[in-house]
Amino acid sequence: MTAAVIAGLTLASALPALAVPAAAAGQTLTYSDYGTERGVQGIALTKFAEQLQDMTDGDLKLRITFGGALIALRDVLRGVGDGVADMGTVVAVSTPIELFNFRVGDLPMGSSDPWVGMKVMQELAATNETIKREFAAQNVRLIANFTTTAVVLICTEPVKTLADLNGRKVRANPPHSLAFEAFGAIPVSVAFTDVYQSLDRGLIDCAQTYIPAIIPFRHFEVAKHVTILDFGQNLGFGAVMNERSFQRLPADRQATLLKAASDLATASARLNVETTASARTQLEAAYGVTFHALSADDHARLLDAGKITVDAFLDKGDPAVLEQFQALQATYQAEFEREGYPWARK
């Protein structure tokens, strides 16, 4: 059974059934996503759409367009704000000016656990006034935060040490790219959707990616080496909704939508946790991918280089955002270590 199928089965049970008042008959909300239906994100969004329809006896539907066919990834924030789509998946690295403070979640620090990261950003976006203003200025609201899972490198040749990065052409998102550059990596700007072709043609040697994404995007076909970094996640990443579309819904429907979106975020984190392990097994056993890990000394040096990215954030960002982000990281990591995942608690 593939990781994607396992993920789909898990999500079906992870999203609880909710009683929802009926909306206007035949109401359809549109959603733009850059990814593929095959991955965890695509499966989660598809199940979310099915859940909304079931909860409203078919009166509220969600029509999802995958592959950036409705709105290109870099334009989703503006497109949803302008009403081209009611909802969409936003990746903050594509809008570095508009969502600068929200990108605190991309700093290579804190927990690499998907549930911890998701909870941190859900609360931060809901309570931090600076981040709330960033979204409001774009006429959108964040309804669910996603996580990429832990950042890894996939490469055409092994990267076993930081010295191996020297001279390698690496596709990575800021701020992680700043740390890689400190060890001689050559940054190359490539959209995530173009990573396969870029690796295949030799335009890049390595790409920042995430274990659950490697199979659905088929990166394993053109690169056979993955380096585990334990270097944070990309958490500036989630589902936004046009504010006018949200306000047009009745108050009870708004509450239900937000509850369902919160459940979606939790279920997506659960899928990522469970799929990461199964995807790694499948990559090694079925696709011949070799996994590498940095030594303890190299990992410490990488974390130290990550401080460059914090300084860069503070040049323009709100220090209070960083302070709250770090405090929430500590809070939810402690909860995780004390109680485990919420779906496994008695």
Side-chain angles (χ1 to χ4, degrees), residues 43 93 269 303:
I43 292 170
V93 72
L303 293 179

Side-chain angles (χ1 to χ4, degrees), residues 71 80 117 124 133 207 242 254 266 297 316 327:
I71 310 174
V80 173
L124 187 69
R133 285 194 297 270
N242 177 279
Q254 291 177 4
T266 299
D297 286 345
K316 297 179 181 179

Side-chain angles (χ1 to χ4, degrees), residues 4 17 37 39 65 133 234 239 247 257 264 273 288 311 313 318 325 334:
E37 296 177 68
T65 303
R133 285 194 297 270
N234 281 139
Q247 294 300 336
L257 179 64
L264 169 65
V273 169
D311 293 339
F313 174 82
D318 183 350
F325 175 72

Side-chain angles (χ1 to χ4, degrees), residues 106-117:
D106 292 343
L107 293 176
M109 62 190 306
S111 176
S112 293
D113 182 81
W115 179 79
V116 173

Side-chain angles (χ1 to χ4, degrees), residues 34-35 67 73 171 190-197 217 219:
Y34 70 90
L73 173 59
R171 178 268 175 198
V190 173
F192 188 76
T193 49
D194 295 330
V195 164
Y196 183 103
Q197 296 91 328
F217 285 93
H219 295 158

Side-chain angles (χ1 to χ4, degrees), residues 9-339:
L9 293 174
T10 305
L11 183 63
S13 60
L15 281 171
L18 300 171
V20 182
Q27 185 173 3
T28 299
L29 300 172
T30 55
Y31 192 108
S32 177
D33 186 74
Y34 70 90
T36 169
E37 296 177 68
R38 297 187 301 270
V40 167
Q41 186 174 317
I43 292 170
L45 288 171
T46 299
K47 293 294 182 181
F48 178 51
E50 294 171 356
Q51 189 80 5
L52 285 177
Q53 184 167 336
D54 290 345
M55 292 188 304
T56 59
D57 295 324
D59 283 335
L60 183 59
K61 300 179 177 65
L62 185 64
R63 185 172 68 244
I64 306 170
T65 303
F66 290 101
L70 179 58
I71 310 174
L73 173 59
R74 65 180 179 277
D75 299 322
V76 169
L77 183 65
R78 177 181 296 179
V80 173
D82 289 344
V84 178
D86 296 297
M87 303 180 191
T89 302
V90 166
V91 179
V93 72
S94 299
T95 53
I97 297 175
E98 295 87 346
L99 298 179
F100 186 90
N101 284 283
F102 182 57
R103 290 190 61 209
V104 70
D106 292 343
L107 293 176
M109 62 190 306
S111 176
S112 293
D113 182 81
W115 179 79
V116 173
M118 178 276 297
K119 290 296 291 184
V120 168
M121 294 304 288
Q122 286 278 102
E123 183 168 340
L124 187 69
T127 61
N128 186 277
E129 294 301 323
T130 297
I131 291 178
K132 288 166 67 175
R133 285 194 297 270
E134 285 186 338
F135 283 106
Q138 304 303 315
N139 191 38
V140 301
R141 63 169 57 212
L142 184 76
I143 59 171
N145 209 87
F146 300 142
T147 168
T148 56
T149 72
V151 170
V152 300
L153 287 177
I154 188 165
C155 303
T156 54
E157 296 294 334
V159 170
K160 300 178 181 180
T161 70
L162 292 177
D164 291 336
L165 286 173
N166 189 37
R168 299 283 182 99
K169 295 172 290 185
V170 178
R171 178 268 175 198
N173 294 334
H176 289 79
S177 59
L178 298 177
F180 298 147
E181 285 182 66
F183 300 100
I186 302 169
V188 180
S189 179
V190 173
F192 188 76
T193 49
D194 295 330
V195 164
Y196 183 103
Q197 296 91 328
S198 299
L199 286 167
D200 189 37
R201 297 172 184 172
L203 300 177
I204 58 175
D205 302 307
C206 298
Q208 174 183 327
T209 188
Y210 321 94
I211 292 175
I214 295 174
I215 293 176
F217 285 93
R218 307 196 70 80
H219 295 158
F220 63 87
E221 293 181 342
V222 291
K224 295 293 187 181
H225 297 275
V226 173
T227 303
I228 303 297
L229 300 172
D230 193 15
F231 198 40
Q233 308 176 66
N234 281 139
L235 296 170
F237 172 36
V240 296
M241 183 171 184
N242 177 279
E243 185 64 26
R244 289 188 295 271
S245 296
F246 181 80
Q247 294 300 336
R248 289 191 191 108
L249 296 174
D252 53 356
R253 181 59 53 75
Q254 291 177 4
T256 300
L257 179 64
L258 292 177
K259 178 63 167 64
S262 177
D263 291 339
L264 169 65
T266 299
S268 297
R270 178 178 180 177
L271 287 182
N272 274 314
V273 169
E274 296 172 350
T275 303
T276 296
S278 59
R280 175 167 177 167
T281 298
Q282 188 175 357
L283 286 165
E284 290 177 312
Y287 300 122
V289 174
T290 301
F291 281 76
H292 310 281
L294 298 176
S295 68
D297 286 345
D298 267 0
H299 183 244
R301 292 171 61 211
L302 183 62
L303 293 179
D304 190 59
K307 296 175 183 177
I308 301 170
T309 69
V310 176
D311 293 339
F313 174 82
L314 290 175
D315 281 344
K316 297 179 181 179
D318 183 350
V321 171
L322 178 61
E323 181 180 352
Q324 186 179 1
F325 175 72
Q326 292 174 310
L328 289 171
Q329 283 273 356
T331 296
Y332 283 109
Q333 182 64 28
E335 179 181 334
F336 170 62
E337 292 174 359
R338 185 176 62 250
E339 303 179 36

